[in-house]
Amino acid sequence: MKLILDTNVNRIYVQNLCMMFFHGEKFPENEENPAGIVEVRLKENKEGIECVCHFTYKGETVNKISFARYDECETPKRTAKIAIGKAVYSAGKELTGREIPWGILTGIRPSKVGAELLIKYSYEEALKILKERYLLSDEKAHLTLDVAQNETRILEKYDNNTCSLYISIPFCPTRCSYCSFISYATKKLFDLIPSYLKKLKQEIKEKASIIKQLNLKLVSVYIGGGTPTTLNDEQLRELLKTVDESIDTASLHEYTVECGRPDTVTKSKLDILKSFGVGRISVNPQTLNDEVLKKIGRNHTVNDFISAYKIAKESDLGNINTDLIAGLDGDSFESFKDTVDNIIKLDPDNITVHSFSVKKSARILEKGSEIYTQNGDYALKSVEYAYRSLIENGYMPYYMYRQKNTVSDLENVGYAKKNAFGIYNVLMMSDSHTVFSAGAGATTKLVRKNGDISDIYRIFSPKYPYEYLEDTKSNETEILNFFKK
């Protein structure tokens, strides 16, 4: 798709708007014979900004004009964004016949916009702005504000002197067809685990030392991947012992270990987790449909999940999360509805509802570009059903993020019972909290606040385990220098 834009038009924003209607589209600078051409021009006067959009796709052309007044928005930049958004959205809607529930609100964190609105307006006023200015559906507008309120309540408890630690175990029993994480499931790579753990334990100690030097209070630890419980009992014990020796785990507000794959959950492993103070785990079915599980490459059955969940419940570790995915290849609304209903009956503390998103590294892309739009209608119904059912059963939405190329441009939402919110999930997504990381494919995010302004600096670990093992660089000086500024 070719974009023709005024110099002051945000190219990424227009791309994101187009991709809501045309998933998987590319935007090369010099594309010959593009399927679509989008031309966006702005005209400013003393009252506001007018946007003219000419949108052509496969021979059909739509022309739309939108005007945003300065008094409707906080800044000229946002005024222009509203004008552009409404013009492009209106054109895309007419070309495709599709109505996007998130309207013109793009970006990873819709709740950030909701939180900004709630500072200045009442809940009802903010709701009206989201629906009229940003074109959100009633459900998405409520979701945005409810998540914003719950996130704010959590973030208010943590100042700039707190931090978290993420530890990466990038190994899984098998690779799911939709997986975008740096996780591995071959014997050759499993052979790297002993060497990987040796280096990882050194880095955990280094990061713990840096946290102490900076006089920061560590409030949460999250061990993810991959699937950390891919490790055997001895390896898992060694890892947790290193964490225990490096930090004061008793003072943590939350200590999470992903046990995502039910086929890796055993009583002995959960006993080890409990002995080291882990208080939150995740056992993820994704779906309670055996045919779909097989199709997506999960090496477990629904009964395996039920057995693993029972073991987790009996272990009395504390907070249990289960992940579900709407829009999986081969699933249906009726099947997903049954999954939601049966998971609610199990009564977990947290239920995270993901929407199927296509990533460039996922194996499922072998099926071709049609994967971007498959199951869109059923996924939309599924996410709506999950939202209503979970709210009715006492679960509250407390964190949310969106991704590109998600079916029906949907979202990922964490729901939890009262007092069971996953703290790390909220802190990690915020722009006000430092997260140190250890392991392959992980990212350290440093945050230094100056009043209401946050300076954010990211350090990326080597992507693959073998690259991680070859890397000899320490980030200690780089981190300490950032906080000295």
Side-chain angles (χ1 to χ4, degrees):
M1 186 171 285
K2 183 178 181 179
L3 302 184
I4 303 172
L5 311 175
D6 276 350
T7 55
N8 57 341
V9 173
N10 186 317
R11 182 180 179 86
I12 300 299
Y13 180 55
V14 176
Q15 287 181 0
N16 289 339
L17 289 167
C18 293
M19 289 172 67
M20 292 194 303
F21 295 98
F22 301 97
H23 293 88
E25 273 292 344
K26 307 295 182 184
F27 301 87
E29 294 285 350
N30 300 305
E31 184 177 6
E32 295 183 7
N33 302 316
I37 300 175
V38 183
E39 184 175 359
V40 177
R41 304 294 185 192
L42 295 180
K43 184 178 180 180
E44 186 174 1
N45 61 39
K46 63 180 181 181
E47 295 182 348
I49 297 176
E50 178 184 86
C51 177
V52 178
C53 174
H54 303 293
F55 202 140
T56 299
Y57 195 79
K58 294 185 176 179
E60 184 178 354
T61 299
V62 171
N63 300 314
K64 293 295 179 180
I65 298 176
S66 177
F67 183 78
R69 296 184 180 277
Y70 287 129
D71 57 1
E72 295 176 352
C73 308
E74 291 82 357
T75 64
K77 183 178 180 180
R78 185 158 289 184
T79 303
K81 200 169 185 179
I82 297 298
I84 294 166
K86 287 187 173 181
V88 176
Y89 179 93
S90 181
K93 178 182 173 182
E94 185 168 326
L95 281 169
T96 64
R98 296 181 58 220
E99 196 160 343
I100 308 299
W102 281 104
I104 65 171
L105 192 58
T106 64
I108 297 173
R109 294 179 56 209
S111 57
K112 186 176 181 180
V113 175
E116 291 173 356
L117 290 174
L118 288 172
I119 292 173
K120 300 180 180 180
Y121 306 99
S122 69
Y123 186 99
E124 290 304 320
E125 289 170 329
L127 191 70
K128 183 178 179 181
I129 290 171
L130 287 173
K131 292 163 68 173
E132 295 182 359
R133 184 185 300 172
Y134 294 96
L135 308 182
L136 269 66
S137 70
D138 183 70
E139 181 179 290
K140 300 309 179 192
H142 277 285
L143 175 62
T144 297
L145 296 181
D146 292 346
V147 170
Q149 288 181 327
N150 287 323
E151 282 183 338
T152 299
R153 293 187 187 106
I154 294 171
L155 292 172
E156 285 175 343
K157 300 176 182 179
Y158 299 97
D159 59 26
N160 199 41
N161 293 318
T162 63
C163 67
S164 296
L165 174 63
Y166 176 82
I167 299 170
S168 171
I169 305 295
F171 303 93
C172 277
T174 61
R175 178 80 179 266
C176 297
S177 62
Y178 57 79
C179 183
S180 62
F181 287 102
I182 308 303
S183 56
Y184 297 88
T186 67
K187 183 182 183 306
K188 182 178 179 180
L189 287 160
F190 281 158
D191 289 342
L192 295 178
I193 289 179
S195 298
Y196 181 85
L197 286 177
K198 182 178 180 180
K199 179 165 185 180
L200 180 65
K201 289 187 288 185
Q202 293 173 345
E203 188 179 8
I204 291 170
K205 293 175 183 177
E206 180 186 72
K207 289 300 193 299
S209 173
I210 293 171
I211 291 170
K212 291 175 184 177
Q213 290 180 66
L214 292 170
N215 199 30
L216 296 174
K217 177 178 173 57
L218 185 64
V219 295
S220 73
V221 171
Y222 193 106
I223 303 179
T227 307
T229 42
T230 299
L231 304 179
N232 62 36
D233 288 15
E234 181 182 352
Q235 293 166 339
L236 188 60
R237 186 180 290 106
E238 285 181 19
L239 173 63
L240 297 181
K241 183 180 178 183
T242 298
V243 175
D244 192 60
E245 292 172 346
S246 303
I247 65 172
D248 179 14
T249 55
S251 67
L252 293 174
H253 293 196
E254 183 178 84
Y255 191 176
T256 300
V257 174
E258 283 273 359
C259 308
R261 298 292 287 267
D263 42 327
T264 68
V265 175
T266 64
K267 182 180 183 303
S268 61
K269 289 180 183 178
L270 296 189
D271 286 344
I272 292 169
L273 298 185
K274 187 173 182 179
S275 70
F276 282 100
V278 174
R280 185 175 185 272
I281 61 173
S282 187
V283 185
N284 303 328
Q286 316 300 28
T287 176
L288 297 183
N289 183 320
D290 278 328
E291 291 183 7
V292 177
L293 286 172
K294 185 177 181 180
K295 196 168 187 177
I296 63 177
R298 302 281 284 192
N299 196 29
H300 66 85
T301 65
V302 173
N303 285 336
D304 291 334
F305 164 72
I306 298 299
S307 297
Y309 184 84
K310 183 179 179 182
I311 293 171
K313 201 76 171 177
E314 291 174 348
S315 72
D316 196 27
L317 269 163
N319 196 325
I320 301 177
N321 172 74
T322 60
D323 280 6
L324 309 179
I325 301 179
L328 286 172
D329 190 21
D331 212 346
S332 66
F333 170 69
E334 290 74 18
S335 172
F336 189 82
K337 177 181 179 295
D338 288 343
T339 292
V340 171
D341 293 344
N342 285 310
I343 290 294
I344 289 174
K345 289 178 184 177
L346 291 175
D347 198 34
D349 305 283
N350 291 78
I351 299 175
T352 305
V353 180
H354 296 273
S355 300
F356 175 68
S357 177
V358 181
K359 292 291 188 141
K360 62 182 180 181
S361 59
R363 193 178 73 247
I364 202 167
L365 273 178
E366 295 170 2
K367 297 189 69 166
S369 60
E370 71 273 7
I371 196 66
Y372 285 103
T373 54
Q374 72 165 23
N375 297 337
D377 291 340
Y378 112 69
L380 181 59
K381 287 176 60 180
S382 296
V383 168
E384 290 174 348
Y385 179 80
Y387 171 78
R388 293 192 298 270
S389 297
L390 291 168
I391 296 295
E392 289 170 3
N393 283 276
Y395 290 89
M396 295 174 282
Y398 72 96
Y399 91 103
M400 170 173 58
Y401 65 98
R402 295 170 68 199
Q403 298 168 284
K404 292 181 181 179
N405 293 324
T406 300
V407 290
S408 291
D409 199 53
L410 293 166
E411 68 283 349
N412 307 304
V413 184
Y415 297 86
K417 295 180 181 178
K418 188 177 181 180
N419 300 322
F421 296 148
I423 296 169
Y424 173 82
N425 291 322
V426 175
L427 294 176
M428 178 269 296
M429 291 295 293
S430 79
D431 294 331
S432 60
H433 188 78
T434 289
V435 179
F436 294 95
S437 71
T443 302
T444 289
K445 182 178 72 172
L446 308 177
V447 180
R448 183 182 60 235
K449 294 199 73 174
N450 182 13
D452 294 331
I453 300 174
S454 294
D455 292 326
I456 299 176
Y457 182 70
R458 290 178 173 83
I459 300 173
F460 301 94
S461 297
K463 188 174 182 180
Y464 301 104
Y466 60 85
E467 291 177 333
Y468 176 74
L469 290 173
E470 294 172 355
D471 184 55
T472 59
K473 184 178 67 175
S474 169
N475 303 122
E476 181 172 356
T477 301
E478 188 177 4
I479 293 171
L480 294 176
N481 285 343
F482 173 82
F483 285 102
K484 286 179 181 178
K485 295 179 182 177

